[in-house]
Structures are given as structure tokens and as C-alpha cells.
Amino acid sequence: HLSRGAKVYAQMFGPLNYSFTFHGVKFVMWDNTEWESEREPDYQWLTETIEAAKDPDAGSGPYHHIIPFSHIPPFDGQFKKNRDRFHDLLLKNNITVSVHGHKHEFSYATYRDLKFVTVGSPQKRNYASLTITPEEIKISKIEY
């Protein structure tokens, strides 16, 4: 979002918020960067996308899992004012894990029955691996 980052990203890759399905898993990519973008994240889009994925009449499911991805993790100061809103949305829709970046360190924590993963970075020589089956999502740190 710094300088013209969001505009360049959109021109190269498309929308900042999007979702896709792969092997029965709904991946929800949500831009929740506030400070650099100077705008509130689109909670309406996130809510509608997650709730539509849970709706059996929407014609797109059922999904084994719905996994939201966003840059800012819920325990970061930038996310503080909307943390409970995000948690409540995930809990209401039986989502068990969300994936984040920003910290450049791998972490795996549970808060209010939800699992939060932050991925590592090349500088720290690690990354997060998610092994997804219809029954579960296993999360591990891979160091190299």
C-alpha cells in the first residue's frame, strides 16, 4: 500500500480481495491493511464471502474448510479495534484457522477456539506448511 503499491498490485494481479476453491477448500484472500492504506478493511465483503460459502443454497459448496488469509494478524496493534469483530465472524461460521503475514516470524497460536498462523519469511529461513485433508488442517513450521 505504500506509495502506489495497491494500484500496481491491482494492475498486475487483480482485486485486493478475492476467493477461490481448490480441492474442496475455500481460500478467502482479504486485504486488511489499515495503516498503510488509510482505509477500513472491507468487512462487508469478507462477511458476505464467508457466509455465502457456508450457505448450502449458494450452489458453490459444501467445502471441507474455509480458510481466510490476510496480511495483518489479529493480535497485531493495527487490528486491535476490529479483533473481536473478526473473531466473532470466524466463530459464527465454524472456521477453525486463519493465516496471516506481517510479522515475518512463524507463529501458531489459539485464541477463543481459533487457530492463527503467521508465516515466516526468507530472512528467517522458515515458512508455514498447511496439510489440508477433509478431516483436519495440520500446521507445521519448515526451517531450511
Side-chain angles (χ1 to χ4, degrees):
H1 284 281
L2 299 176
S3 187
R4 295 177 190 228
K7 185 175 182 178
V8 170
Y9 179 93
Q11 287 176 342
M12 292 178 70
F13 302 108
L16 297 174
N17 298 320
Y18 63 96
S19 66
F20 63 93
T21 303
F22 183 74
H23 289 283
V25 178
K26 182 75 167 184
F27 295 88
V28 179
M29 313 311 238
W30 177 57
D31 176 26
N32 70 338
T33 306
E34 290 187 47
W35 292 351
E36 291 88 350
S37 68
E38 299 178 351
R39 62 169 176 71
E40 173 120 345
D42 192 345
Y43 281 94
Q44 181 176 344
W45 179 89
L46 179 65
T47 301
E48 289 172 359
T49 301
I50 288 174
E51 289 179 352
K54 296 299 291 184
D55 181 3
D57 296 327
S60 56
Y63 299 106
H64 302 299
H65 305 282
I66 301 169
I67 306 174
F69 285 72
S70 65
H71 185 70
I72 308 298
F75 44 83
D76 186 83
Q78 190 171 163
F79 208 157
K80 188 175 181 178
K81 74 176 183 177
N82 289 305
R83 181 176 301 138
D84 289 337
R85 182 179 184 182
F86 181 73
H87 281 98
D88 292 345
L89 174 65
L90 299 190
L91 284 171
K92 175 183 164 192
N93 289 283
N94 299 315
I95 292 173
T96 58
V97 65
S98 65
V99 180
H100 309 274
H102 188 61
K103 295 293 188 182
H104 303 271
E105 291 277 351
F106 175 86
S107 69
Y108 179 44
T110 301
Y111 176 72
R112 289 178 49 204
D113 297 324
L114 299 172
K115 295 174 185 123
F116 298 98
V117 178
T118 58
V119 299
S121 70
Q123 298 92 331
K124 305 291 182 173
R125 300 188 54 80
N126 67 75
Y127 60 91
S129 172
L130 278 68
T131 303
I132 304 169
T133 66
E135 296 79 28
E136 67 183 341
I137 300 172
K138 290 183 182 178
I139 299 158
S140 55
K141 178 182 181 180
I142 307 297
E143 297 182 280
Y144 58 93

